[in-house]
Amino acid sequence: MSKCFYITTAIDYVNGEPHVGHAYEKVIADVIARARRSLGAEVFFLTGLDEHGQKVQQAAQGQNKSPQVYCDELSVVWKSLATALELTLDDFVRTTEPRHKQVVQAILSKLHAAGHFYKDAYKGFYSTKEETFLTEKDRLPGGTFPAQYGEVTELLEENYYFKLKDQQEWLIGYIEQNPGFIQPDYRRNEVLGFLKNNTLEDLCITRPASRLNWGIPVPFDPNFVTYVWFDALVNYITIPAAQGDPAVNSALNTPLPAAPAPKELWPADVHVIGKDILKFHAVYWPIMLKAMGLPQPKQILVHGWWQKEGEKLSKTTGNVVDPIAVINEWGIDAFRFYVVRELAIGPDGNWTDAGFQSRYQAELANGLGNLVNRSLSMLKRYRNGVVPQRSDELAAETARVIAETRAHLEQNQLQAALLSIWTLVTHANQYVDRTAPFRLAKDPAQAKRLDEVLYNLAEVCRVLAVLLWPFIPSTTEKIYAQLGLTGSPENFSQAAWGGLTEGSSIGEPAALFPRKDKPTA
Ligand code: MSP
């Protein structure tokens, strides 16, 4: 059994419909998963849904449904988003599944027995909307709490607490000694700054069942359910446990039943998350794992947030981007390309319909699409679609781009990889303009030169298909089919120059990115 490259995304709350932010995170994780597969790793890619907690309970009540029925119905919508995004998922976790409940309860029992929890009473101001107790620091100058917290009520509650304080120094040391653990660096510095300037409060890991019953029952005390974040973070090891990961199962005192084909997944190689949930992943989760006796994930990769037309996404104001509507109108690859090309993993981004359309037109239709279409159409017209003798004029430039792309993919620098690949698209389009094959075709004395140009162009198109497979897989499969090649360009080693064989016949050229005159809705 060899260790898989294990990549996860945040699991989305099911209290609404998916928007571009959720879709973006899943797409970048899928591009990384595909890139790693292409580079030869065995990959396991996980996403799923966070179905417990007050927000979900309230959303269900608002629709007069039981929380389970509500979650079951919405899970269909979210799963269909995963399909529409063409995610190469290996599992989809829902926190209401029995396999997940069993793992959460096994962990709670183990940590309780080992003395990591204590029970305490707490009196404070509680925000139902944010599911959190507020402190004096949260008050506005006038004494009230900010509107983002919704209704705030004073509560006296007994709960179980997870000891975090003792681990603060250890965590600072761990993050300092492992620079790749939280990326990008400015997020790592943010966590270190927080840990060095604050004393960690112990984490309240239960909610009284009398106030909130939509949660996983605490195995050692029926009066409580598990706090939604303690439940949700555990999803990352539920799936290794369900897949028979030996390290995870031996860490649980009550392992899940043996899996038929066990996989070695833990530790995760990358947890892809948004900036708002960094503290949960970079502070609580490492301490939870340490208490369980499990190694730390290799990397927490933190992306920024999307706005639309410079404003926060908001259902109330209608300022949203519905990924499914965009995909239906423009195609999945246009969506995947835009979000990855527009935004590096880290900073915040701004979706604009004009920017989307302009990238579609300039980079996809006129850049890549035009290159492939004119290269293959000329090969069809001037050489009856038969690949001429190999010529290496663009081989060196292509090799440079292949090496650069590989280096970026190994660092999860997806936008940089696209920029590098596009230098080859531009270079090849300029090569067409410079060599003017349409003129060469008119002069029989230039037949050999025309062969050379046509080979180089077709071969660059083939290499581009391999390099772009993780990003825009369907398009690259079309390029392969138009080149008359069988199979999919899914293996990075296929990028090596010279893959097209002299004498083979290409298929039918067809536009990859049809012209669009209509603006998006
Ligand atoms: N359920 C928790 C995560 C638990 S992970 C163990 C949650 N869910 S969420 O639905 O609110 O958010 C899911 C992911 O979507 C988060 O990583 C969040 O940062 C991301 N995004 C939500 N809105 C976003 C944008 N506007 N832009 C980019 N990503 C955003 O948090």
Side-chain angles (χ1 to χ4, degrees):
M1 207 190 317
S2 64
K3 165 85 173 69
C4 290
F5 181 93
Y6 176 35
I7 177 165
T8 68
T9 70
I11 52 172
D12 300 309
Y13 288 126
V14 283
N15 60 345
E17 307 266 327
H19 61 56
V20 65
H22 307 117
Y24 168 67
E25 178 175 284
K26 284 30 180 202
V27 166
I28 53 179
D30 185 61
V31 175
I32 296 173
R34 285 177 185 261
R36 297 297 169 140
R37 282 198 197 95
S38 173
L39 290 166
E42 194 188 333
V43 173
F44 195 94
F45 174 23
L46 174 68
T47 190
L49 293 174
D50 188 355
E51 303 191 350
H52 289 125
Q54 194 121 13
K55 284 186 197 178
V56 176
Q57 190 176 34
Q58 281 174 342
Q61 270 162 2
Q63 295 192 8
N64 278 327
K65 287 178 181 157
S66 81
Q68 190 64 60
V69 167
Y70 173 84
C71 290
D72 288 347
E73 285 175 7
L74 263 184
S75 70
V76 177
V77 175
W78 286 84
K79 279 186 175 171
S80 71
L81 174 72
T83 308
L85 293 172
E86 299 190 353
L87 304 184
T88 49
L89 292 178
D90 295 286
D91 206 334
F92 188 98
V93 61
R94 295 181 56 197
T95 55
T96 51
E97 289 173 285
R99 58 180 180 171
H100 177 69
K101 289 187 195 171
Q102 280 168 39
V103 173
V104 171
Q105 291 185 329
I107 290 167
L108 285 168
S109 300
K110 176 176 168 164
L111 299 198
H112 183 55
H116 289 282
F117 304 149
Y118 62 92
K119 202 174 181 185
D120 201 5
Y122 182 80
K123 190 173 178 191
F125 290 92
Y126 187 77
S127 151
T128 308
K129 188 158 169 254
E130 294 297 320
E131 286 186 52
T132 183
F133 277 99
L134 304 174
T135 66
E136 289 306 318
K137 274 193 258 164
D138 296 310
R139 284 189 197 274
L140 294 170
T144 56
F145 291 102
Q148 79 198 71
Y149 294 114
E151 193 190 338
V152 176
T153 40
E154 195 175 17
L155 287 180
L156 172 67
E157 255 184 31
E158 277 210 306
N159 271 304
Y160 286 88
Y161 288 81
F162 175 41
K163 297 177 191 165
L164 297 184
K165 284 194 191 101
D166 313 346
Q167 302 302 331
Q168 186 154 357
E169 287 312 311
W170 164 78
L171 185 57
I172 292 173
Y174 187 84
I175 296 171
E176 281 182 334
Q177 282 150 30
N178 295 276
F181 181 53
I182 304 166
Q183 279 296 309
D185 277 339
Y186 51 90
R187 295 292 175 211
R188 172 171 175 264
N189 293 336
E190 199 177 295
V191 177
L192 280 173
F194 167 77
L195 286 171
K196 288 179 177 176
N197 295 312
N198 295 278
T199 304
L200 272 187
E201 295 291 323
D202 291 338
L203 179 68
C204 178
I205 51 132
T206 58
R207 295 292 181 261
S210 53
R211 175 160 71 74
L212 172 74
N213 57 29
W214 187 235
I216 298 179
V218 171
F220 48 84
D221 192 334
N223 295 321
F224 294 91
V225 298
T226 314
Y227 168 49
V228 67
W229 270 100
F230 194 98
D231 159 353
L233 287 162
V234 167
N235 91 86
Y236 302 134
I237 62 162
T238 292
I239 297 310
Q243 297 282 343
D245 185 303
V248 169
N249 270 321
S250 69
L252 301 177
N253 291 344
T254 328
L256 293 183
K263 283 195 159 56
E264 206 178 298
L265 301 182
W266 195 260
D269 290 84
V270 190
H271 287 319
V272 180
I273 58 157
K275 62 177 185 178
D276 57 317
I277 55 175
L278 178 55
K279 188 170 156 189
F280 297 98
H281 285 80
V283 178
Y284 303 151
W285 183 226
I287 298 177
M288 285 166 68
L289 285 166
K290 182 163 180 269
M292 290 176 221
L294 282 170
Q296 298 300 322
K298 300 260 167 43
Q299 184 165 87
I300 300 163
L301 184 58
V302 190
H303 64 77
W305 266 41
W306 283 90
Q307 294 194 325
K308 176 167 187 232
E309 315 289 347
E311 305 277 341
K312 191 172 181 285
L313 300 179
S314 154
K315 250 201 270 176
T316 9
T317 62
N319 194 45
V320 285
V321 181
D322 172 3
I324 298 291
V326 177
I327 293 167
N328 288 342
E329 185 170 0
W330 296 85
I332 174 58
D333 284 349
F335 180 83
R336 289 174 63 110
F337 175 78
Y338 176 74
V339 291
V340 179
R341 173 63 187 80
E342 181 67 25
L343 191 56
I345 300 176
D348 289 338
N350 184 25
W351 177 293
T352 66
D353 288 344
F356 179 93
Q357 289 168 32
S358 126
R359 284 204 189 281
Y360 181 92
Q361 204 51 46
E363 291 163 53
L364 292 177
N366 297 341
L368 178 65
N370 191 31
L371 173 68
V372 174
N373 199 250
R374 57 185 180 158
S375 301
L376 301 196
S377 300
M378 289 189 294
L379 184 53
K380 197 88 187 167
R381 196 170 325 128
Y382 305 139
R383 292 294 179 263
N384 212 13
V386 177
V387 175
Q389 190 186 13
R390 171 170 167 169
S391 158
D392 296 346
E393 201 173 345
L394 296 182
E397 176 62 13
T398 303
R400 185 190 64 75
V401 171
I402 293 172
E404 239 177 57
T405 305
R406 171 191 280 274
H408 289 313
L409 292 179
E410 282 169 351
Q411 299 291 319
N412 304 327
Q413 287 164 343
L414 309 184
Q415 185 196 45
L418 279 183
L419 282 166
S420 178
I421 296 168
W422 245 258
T423 64
L424 184 58
V425 172
T426 307
H427 190 84
N429 268 324
Q430 287 165 349
Y431 177 77
V432 179
D433 300 339
R434 198 171 67 238
T435 56
F438 25 89
R439 267 206 296 278
L440 298 174
K442 292 191 185 127
D443 180 359
Q446 296 284 357
K448 183 152 183 327
R449 178 64 184 142
L450 180 59
D451 277 349
E452 284 170 7
V453 171
L454 293 176
Y455 184 91
N456 278 282
L457 286 173
E459 179 61 5
V460 163
C461 293
R462 193 192 65 77
V463 174
L464 285 170
V466 179
L467 300 183
L468 285 168
W469 181 78
F471 300 89
I472 46 172
S474 304
T475 301
T476 66
E477 278 156 20
K478 282 185 202 155
I479 298 175
Y480 247 43
Q482 292 185 22
L483 281 163
L485 299 168
T486 50
S488 144
E490 64 193 6
N491 191 330
F492 201 86
S493 63
Q494 293 163 260
W497 186 266
L500 280 178
T501 333
E502 179 183 354
S504 61
S505 290
I506 65 163
E508 276 311 310
L512 294 170
F513 301 99
R515 232 191 115 71
K516 295 265 183 187
D517 297 315
K518 195 164 58 99
T520 41

